[in-house]
Amino acid sequence: MLKYILVVGTLSVIGQEISGQLQWANIFGTKRNATIPTVVPAVPFNPAHTCELLKLSMQGIGRDSETILKILATHTYNQRYEIAATYKTLYNQDLVQKLFTEYDGHILDVIQYLFWPTEKMYAREYHDAMQGLGTNERALIEMSASLEGHELRRVNGAYIGMYEKTLESDIKGDTSGFFRDLLVELIKGREADNSPNSVELPRYTVATLNRLGHGQWSNNKDTIRDIFCKKSFYELSEILVEYERQNGHKIEEDIESEFSGDVKKTLLAIVKCSRNRPQFLSEQLSKSMSNFGIDHNVLHRIIVGRSEIDLGNIKEEFAKTNGNSIDIWLKSAIEGNYWSLIVQLAGYAPDYFKN
């Protein structure tokens, strides 16, 4: 086994606190909650040396998975992309294909996603949610409600490139009614949190909702769609606060009474993401495990998709709700190298001798 101490400076240490790596979004002259990634750029970064380590780790009988998985989990997508390009130049081999010969099972999806831009991962996840018998409405809601507008616009472009048709056309063909309309509007991408709005706007929007009247929201679908699917997450969060101030209760109560089924689930998901997206994604992660096993697609979307954004925040919310950390929680569902890679991406240090 290659000694990890040899690659100090090439690999960043898993499990280390990433204080100082907080990313702040300056919105409306104030600071939103800090986003905490679990995967940050390895510094210093030497792709040629990293490729040499990978080559050595996959030579001869057996493999050095400890080194391989640490390399994959402790470099960002941009760095992995450069590693793969360098590997091709140095050894005339496709690194991902080489890794595929070393592993099998669900870890292969994770490895593929690590070398894909996230929009391509989400495009495939959207496609998978609408293939075969039945539709995975939960997956469609999770992605459409939680992704930012600019992310969804990139997903649309990736979808066309991968499947030679639009994401919108597939959603229209696989869903129906107001649920379909909400999804179609969401995937177009909501407004960005990039410019100040008048203090009066949330009041005006709430007044519009109040004028609809009890039991009439479903008869004013265009208004509901435009408010929940088009407005930026920041503005929507301000509307939620103003709604409660004016009406004396949270908007969720009225959504519960006005809608049902997938429409209600979609609107509630949007509201949850506006209030606290890491908490919403933490809940999705918790729900991914049942008596029948784990939904690996949810696991991959959240662990890989959020690792360079806010997986640290999701971890905190998960621990609050479940009383266990994600790595401990997963031990009853997955194992071996698959478990090791997932938990390292989530910022934990696995014990190779006990797992």
Side-chain angles (χ1 to χ4, degrees), residues 235-305:
E235 187 178 353
L236 190 52
S237 69
E238 294 292 293
I239 290 167
L240 300 179
V241 171
E242 179 64 19
Y243 191 91
E244 185 172 356
R245 189 189 71 80
Q246 288 191 28
N247 293 282
H249 61 269
K250 293 182 182 295
I251 202 169
E252 289 91 333
E253 293 184 26
D254 289 327
I255 292 173
E256 290 276 0
S257 65
E258 297 281 346
F259 297 102
S260 62
D262 290 324
V263 170
K264 179 175 74 174
K265 292 176 185 176
T266 304
L267 293 173
L268 289 175
I270 293 168
V271 169
K272 285 182 179 179
C273 288
S274 300
R275 292 191 189 279
N276 187 334
R277 179 165 39 197
Q279 185 180 72
F280 169 76
L281 292 171
S282 168
E283 290 173 2
Q284 301 311 299
L285 199 56
S286 298
K287 292 175 182 176
S288 71
M289 189 185 294
S290 67
N291 294 331
F292 302 101
I294 194 163
D295 186 328
H296 297 276
N297 295 79
V298 176
L299 184 63
H300 301 164
R301 286 195 299 270
I302 295 177
I303 300 297
V304 178

Side-chain angles (χ1 to χ4, degrees), residues 105-124:
H106 292 291
I107 194 174
L108 297 182
D109 285 329
V110 180
I111 291 171
Q112 182 67 82
Y113 285 163
L114 289 175
F115 288 90
W116 273 0
T118 53
E119 59 264 26
K120 193 173 179 181
M121 178 194 77
Y122 284 118
R124 177 178 157 183

Side-chain angles (χ1 to χ4, degrees), residues 47 210 318 321 344:
N210 288 338
F318 190 93
T321 304
Q344 287 186 85

Side-chain angles (χ1 to χ4, degrees), residues 14-15 39 44 55 93 97 113 172 179 211 248 279 310 352:
I14 293 276
V39 176
K55 183 73 170 176
Q93 284 185 309
Q97 292 304 314
Y113 285 163
K172 285 181 176 178
F179 176 52
R211 281 197 299 270
Q279 185 180 72
D310 58 357
Y352 285 89

